[in-house]
Amino acid sequence: MSDPGNAAARAGGEAAPVTADAPPPARVPVLIVGGSIVGASAALFLAARGITPVLVEKHTAVSTRPRAKLFYPRTMEAYRSVGADQDVYAVQRRLPPADHAAVVASLAGPELRRWRLPAAEDFSGVSPCPSAFVKQADLEEVVRAHARAAGADLRFGHRLLRLRRHEDHVEAQVRRADGSTYTATADYLLAADGNGSAVRESLGIGRSGTEVVAHIMEIGFEADLRRLLEGRRLALAFTGPPEQAFLSWNTAQDRGTVSVTYDPALTDPAAFDARRCGGIVSRALGLPPSRFTLTGSRPWQMGAWVADSYRAGRVFLLGDAVHVTPPTGGFGANTGIQDAWNLTAKLVSVLRGHAGPRLLEDYEPERRVVGRITVEQALLRARHRARVPDDRPLLSEAAVAIGYRYPMPGADPADGGPAMADEPDRRRGEPGTRLPHLPLTGRDGPGSTLDLVREGRYLLLSGPEGHAWVRAARRLDPHGAFLDTALLPHRIASAATRPAGACGIGDHGALLIRPDHVIAWRAPDAAPDPLTALAAATRRARGFDRSGRAEAG
């Protein structure tokens, strides 16, 4: 079993993951198809909560292509909850700072314009976690190591061949790298197998949106960029007209890509031969061909779409299998990780017997609305950069990546006003939003209200005088099997607002928080019968009762 503490030290390489070849158990709770960052994160979130998944991934090694490079605070909060965040930040600390972007004449030439990436802003007022600026391959290394240490069975070089769905289980035929096959039987299957998802296609699930926003030619190169980038804090760059190339590179600053758009009606992709690609890279880098080596090129289509369904029975889709965003904003990987965070929290509750299977019905409406908002906002950014007119409002990165709100079954109509995505510091405990971060000091040092949500359980968080709610919670769940309790302090020295007020409740009020930090219900003040009110709220939040609205008095 891997030691997650050593993951950061190993993350600079591209070593092939450990491959399991033994047959899986006769039946597993969750089978995950796809081992990139979304599938690996799902495996970690499950295993850390005591649910042992099997993950199969057709590739045997980590992709060396430059992919995501920034991970927003809400993503890091999920990793914080399972103890992986500090290893990610340890990787970042070994790297040169890279939190700006620029428009350049060439990478070796003058900068025409520079800006700090929105993900690099100070989020300390709304989150205990800063963004992480690491390459996706490094993050995957950390996440896989933690998942294995928690007991996840990760199988690289194993390809899903066929899938059969039954009322109470799924059967998957899997082929190993040596050609032998086995059958994996699981209670649930999670498909995180990318934008060309074979699972989605086999289920006949369509897509809505823009299939092709632009045609891109991505040209890979190797070059020593350290002197060019020294002291510049650049994470990425663009060149100006007419080529308007996008430049990205790995954190070792020795390989990267130059991407340009083209019109296939005017230019055949085959026309991008070595000579043409070399010229594009030379102009973008501002280096002669003798200073770099081409490593290949590939055409791809930038899309902006959301799948028509996120679920088919016991099969759930997540990540790029259900939404593809233009890379502008850096939302893609983060959105997929949040799919995994949402879905695995529900699965853990169901598999533990703490929630009813109907809870899983909420995954699609919650995550699909976020997927639509995210795809739209990424597309708007791409259009703005291309100077394409679009009158739709452009939300901040913080609103898109942190401040979204889920539609909640049985929600109080009085809570229907706030937008589905808004600045996180405007949120005041509305059901469907993330629990506000408030700094707390505990035995282990500085913490957060988010840290009160532990080990996949629900939390009854009361105002400082909400003792009646705590007593009701203990009567409802005497042994704390699924429900923890906590009281907010009257004051926090570093906060201007009373903690209860920041959560939208009075001193005698309460919030019910889901395992994924989302507020399921709130009682602004005391209730005549707190036990009845809380019992109704917890049953609804756990999928046992969807009739009517939970009354708080």
Side-chain angles (χ1 to χ4, degrees):
M1 185 176 294
S2 298
D3 176 6
N6 293 329
R10 297 193 309 272
E14 301 290 352
V18 174
T19 302
D21 287 317
R27 182 158 175 164
V28 298
V30 181
L31 176 66
I32 301 170
V33 180
S36 191
I37 189 57
V38 174
S41 295
L44 169 58
F45 298 151
L46 288 167
R49 301 304 186 223
I51 304 299
T52 303
V54 171
L55 179 150
V56 295
E57 162 58 51
K58 63 184 179 182
H59 295 108
T60 58
V62 180
S63 172
T64 60
R65 289 185 51 242
R67 295 172 288 162
K69 296 173 71 171
L70 67 90
F71 298 90
Y72 284 98
R74 193 159 185 176
T75 292
M76 296 308 298
E77 289 166 6
Y79 292 138
R80 176 186 176 100
S81 291
V82 293
D85 61 317
Q86 291 306 311
D87 276 350
V88 180
Y89 292 129
V91 174
Q92 178 176 300
R93 287 192 293 271
R94 299 200 326 266
L95 304 172
D99 50 13
H100 284 67
V103 176
V104 298
S106 70
L107 196 60
E111 292 184 6
L112 309 179
R113 185 165 65 93
R114 153 188 288 262
W115 62 96
R116 191 181 190 196
L117 292 171
E121 295 301 322
D122 180 7
F123 289 101
S124 60
V126 296
S127 177
C129 299
S131 297
F133 290 84
V134 297
K135 67 178 179 179
Q136 184 172 321
D138 286 358
L139 179 63
E140 288 175 0
E141 181 74 11
V142 172
V143 170
R144 282 195 306 271
H146 277 267
R148 285 196 187 98
D153 183 348
L154 308 184
R155 297 165 173 257
F156 286 75
H158 289 223
R159 179 187 293 268
L160 175 69
L161 295 179
R162 293 181 195 83
L163 174 64
R164 289 185 178 179
R165 295 187 293 127
H166 302 272
E167 185 176 345
D168 65 345
H169 70 280
V170 294
E171 290 180 358
Q173 187 178 24
V174 180
R175 183 175 64 206
R176 299 181 181 90
D178 64 8
S180 61
T181 63
Y182 60 89
T183 298
T185 302
D187 295 327
Y188 299 96
L189 184 143
L190 311 188
D193 53 341
N195 58 11
S197 172
V199 174
R200 185 192 64 239
E201 293 300 311
S202 72
L203 296 171
I205 295 174
R207 300 176 289 190
S208 299
T210 306
E211 288 286 336
V212 182
V213 175
H215 293 268
I216 310 293
M217 183 60 68
E218 180 184 282
I219 306 165
F221 67 87
E222 291 181 351
D224 186 350
L225 303 179
R226 288 173 297 178
R227 292 186 63 183
L228 295 183
L229 295 171
E230 186 176 7
R232 296 173 71 181
R233 303 184 72 102
L234 286 183
L236 50 93
F238 305 87
T239 63
E243 212 147 48
Q244 293 187 299
F246 169 63
L247 289 78
S248 182
W249 48 87
N250 65 358
T251 51
Q253 301 178 350
D254 60 3
R255 68 163 54 223
T257 59
V258 175
S259 299
V260 293
T261 60
Y262 70 97
D263 184 347
L266 302 175
T267 305
D268 189 321
F272 286 88
D273 56 16
R275 181 176 179 180
R276 183 169 187 168
C277 289
I280 291 171
V281 173
S282 181
R283 291 188 293 275
L285 297 181
L287 297 177
S290 60
R291 296 275 301 277
F292 62 84
T293 301
L294 296 179
T295 59
S297 62
R298 71 176 190 107
W300 61 278
Q301 297 173 352
M302 181 192 295
W305 53 261
V306 178
D308 295 336
S309 178
Y310 278 41
R311 178 188 186 185
R314 288 176 172 261
V315 178
F316 296 84
L317 307 176
L318 59 167
D320 286 354
V322 280
H323 46 71
V324 166
T325 68
T328 43
F331 300 130
N334 288 274
T335 307
I337 293 165
Q338 289 301 316
D339 292 340
W341 181 234
N342 177 296
L343 177 57
T344 57
K346 292 174 168 58
L347 283 168
V348 167
S349 291
V350 171
L351 289 166
R352 285 177 175 175
H354 296 160
R358 282 191 296 177
L359 178 65
L360 300 174
E361 296 174 4
D362 294 342
Y363 168 66
E364 176 167 332
E366 291 179 1
R367 290 307 300 169
R368 195 163 188 270
V369 70
V370 172
R372 288 199 304 268
I373 292 170
T374 305
V375 168
E376 177 185 274
Q377 288 296 311
L379 182 57
L380 281 174
R381 284 161 171 76
R383 287 180 170 172
H384 283 196
R385 179 173 175 264
R387 303 184 186 280
V388 176
D390 198 313
D391 294 333
R392 288 175 295 179
L394 190 67
L395 303 176
S396 75
E397 281 77 1
V400 177
I402 306 174
Y404 52 80
R405 184 188 192 199
Y406 292 145
M408 301 297 286
D412 187 337
D415 287 325
M420 297 309 293
D422 201 354
E423 297 301 321
D425 58 2
R426 294 179 186 167
R427 297 302 196 188
R428 290 294 182 271
E430 300 89 356
T433 64
R434 163 183 153 279
L435 172 65
H437 156 66
L438 297 169
L440 300 176
T441 301
R443 289 176 298 178
D444 298 326
S448 166
T449 44
L450 300 177
D451 299 331
L452 299 174
V453 183
R454 303 178 301 120
E455 299 176 2
R457 293 195 295 273
Y458 289 75
L459 171 70
L460 188 282
L461 181 61
S462 307
E465 303 300 328
H467 302 284
W469 292 111
V470 174
R471 289 193 294 271
R474 290 286 62 88
R475 288 183 62 189
L476 191 64
D477 183 21
H479 303 293
F482 74 89
L483 184 61
D484 290 331
T485 63
L487 291 170
L488 288 166
H490 283 279
R491 293 281 183 185
I492 294 175
S494 60
T497 306
R498 286 172 61 86
C503 293
I505 59 176
D507 285 355
H508 295 268
L511 299 172
L512 179 63
I513 316 300
R514 304 186 331 193
D516 60 353
H517 300 150
V518 172
I519 298 167
W521 166 87
R522 71 174 170 184
D525 215 322
D529 185 351
L531 179 60
T532 299
L534 184 59
T538 56
R539 284 186 61 79
R540 180 167 297 102
R542 294 180 294 140
F544 287 124
D545 180 8
R546 291 297 164 88
S547 60
R549 178 169 64 87
E551 296 292 343

